[in-house]
Amino acid sequence: MEQFKNIGLIGRLGSTKVVDTMKRLIRYLQERNLHIILEDQIGEVMPGHGLQEANRKLIGEISDLVIVVGGDGSLLGAARAIAKYKTPVLGVNRGRLGFLTDISPDELETKVGEVLDGKYISEERFMLDAEVYRNGEPVGNAVGLNDVVLHPGKSARMIEFDLYIEGQYVYNQRSDGLIVSTPTGSTAYSLSGGGPIMHPKLDAIVLVPMFPHTLSSRPIVVDGNSEVKIIISEDNDAYPHVSCDGQTHLVTKPGDVLYVKKRPYKLRLIHPVDHNFYEICRTKLGWSSSFVD
């Protein structure tokens, strides 16, 4: 197992609970004589901390391990900045569901200590590249760990588009849009849209129509290496938006082409040794259970 000596810390802004947990975490890491690099933005709300500060890009470059304190949204944002440096990421949950940030604050020192002692599970999660072309030229791009979503934007109206997978025509659709999701995102927006839950180890992408104007349109699961092409119809009055993880946004015009495909590098995600995907689904999604340990 790797030795983690330089620990990058990223926290969600605007939360006193995050700051309190961050202070606890800093004290614990200092007791273990580890070098701490604090994200500059969270450092601004923790005056007098005396630690090295850096932006996310530099944290990704110089850290052996990055710990994110916040919700899944905080980890999604950090992942997009850090993944290309292959720096492993560990999440401490200060949000709601906590599918990605799976360490509870109540067991902070115990679980972080186990990871630092080499007792952890490491996995890789692939990400998606979204790129918009206009008249054959790229006009915008973004990255998603959960999903890439085509939607009407601020206007509450249907949009029309043509879908191609690996160059093969699939269908023309009028709907509120389309969710292109990774297995990581299958328990997020895709799930709300009626998509299937996919195990994180699957190399697959799911395409989930949003309120399609036909009863026969259903989610499609395709190979993870597939190129998805979406042509925005010239007949659209609206300017559809493309959102990645609900955090980064691109605006398209009628006639634009959206390409979605797997990103060349993956996020390295660290879990405690007792991490169990199905147990998380039972707990977070309210599945019933008669199992007695």
Side-chain angles (χ1 to χ4, degrees):
M1 290 293 182
E2 298 173 74
Q3 292 293 313
F4 303 128
K5 297 180 179 179
N6 301 299
I7 313 296
L9 299 183
I10 293 175
R12 179 166 64 87
L13 298 174
S15 170
T16 56
K17 291 181 179 180
V18 167
V19 173
D20 292 342
T21 301
M22 187 71 77
K23 290 178 179 178
R24 246 178 81 192
L25 180 57
I26 289 171
R27 284 195 298 270
Y28 178 70
L29 296 174
Q30 288 176 329
E31 289 172 2
R32 295 189 60 131
N33 297 314
L34 297 171
H35 179 63
I36 301 169
I37 307 102
L38 189 64
E39 184 187 18
D40 48 12
Q41 291 185 333
I42 193 73
E44 292 177 1
V45 298
M46 297 173 59
H49 57 73
L51 302 172
Q52 178 184 354
E53 290 190 10
N55 58 34
R56 290 187 178 186
K57 178 178 180 295
L58 186 57
I59 284 178
E61 288 180 349
I62 66 178
S63 299
D64 303 318
L65 171 70
V66 173
I67 302 178
V68 179
V69 180
D72 287 344
S74 301
L75 195 141
L76 289 169
R80 291 194 302 273
I82 291 170
K84 65 181 178 180
Y85 303 107
K86 300 182 180 180
T87 305
V89 177
L90 176 68
V92 176
N93 186 28
R94 268 307 189 180
R96 288 188 292 271
L97 281 177
F99 272 97
L100 298 173
T101 51
D102 50 7
I103 291 182
S104 165
D106 296 335
E107 50 186 8
L108 177 68
E109 291 84 359
T110 300
K111 294 300 182 183
V112 171
E114 289 176 359
V115 170
L116 295 174
D117 291 336
K119 301 173 183 177
Y120 60 84
I121 298 170
S122 178
E123 63 178 8
E124 292 187 331
R125 303 285 185 94
F126 75 81
M127 308 172 76
L128 295 175
D129 266 328
E131 193 159 22
V132 176
Y133 279 75
R134 184 170 300 152
N135 300 320
E137 297 294 331
V139 294
N141 64 281
V143 180
L145 172 60
N146 266 355
D147 48 44
V148 176
V149 181
L150 176 70
H151 59 96
K154 296 180 180 179
S155 60
R157 63 177 66 186
M158 284 191 171
I159 56 177
E160 183 177 345
F161 56 88
D162 291 298
L163 173 66
Y164 292 79
I165 298 173
E166 285 294 278
Q168 296 185 336
Y169 179 67
V170 181
Y171 54 57
N172 172 271
Q173 186 175 101
R174 283 179 52 79
S175 66
D176 283 0
L178 185 71
I179 303 168
V180 184
S181 172
T182 66
T184 300
S186 70
T187 52
Y189 195 25
S190 171
L191 181 63
S192 301
I197 294 174
M198 298 194 293
H199 193 280
K201 290 184 179 179
L202 284 175
D203 187 5
I205 294 170
V206 62
L207 296 92
V208 181
M210 298 164 61
F211 300 103
H213 201 226
T214 170
L215 296 178
S216 60
S217 187
R218 292 292 182 267
I220 303 174
V221 179
V222 300
D223 183 84
N225 293 309
S226 300
E227 180 188 74
V228 176
K229 182 173 77 170
I230 302 169
I231 301 177
I232 313 299
S233 174
E234 295 276 8
D235 296 329
N236 284 301
D237 294 326
Y239 282 35
H241 290 210
V242 176
S243 298
C244 294
D245 296 340
Q247 296 178 349
T248 58
H249 306 277
L250 305 170
V251 180
T252 71
K253 294 175 62 177
D256 285 355
V257 181
L258 168 64
Y259 290 93
V260 182
K261 59 184 178 181
K262 183 187 290 184
R263 199 158 179 77
Y265 47 79
K266 299 179 180 181
L267 170 69
R268 291 188 59 201
L269 197 58
I270 297 291
H271 300 288
V273 289
D274 59 355
H275 172 78
N276 183 316
F277 174 72
Y278 303 109
E279 191 277 331
I280 291 174
C281 287
R282 284 197 304 273
T283 303
K284 307 299 183 181
L285 300 179
W287 291 356
S288 61
S289 172
S290 60
F291 176 77
V292 179
D293 191 358

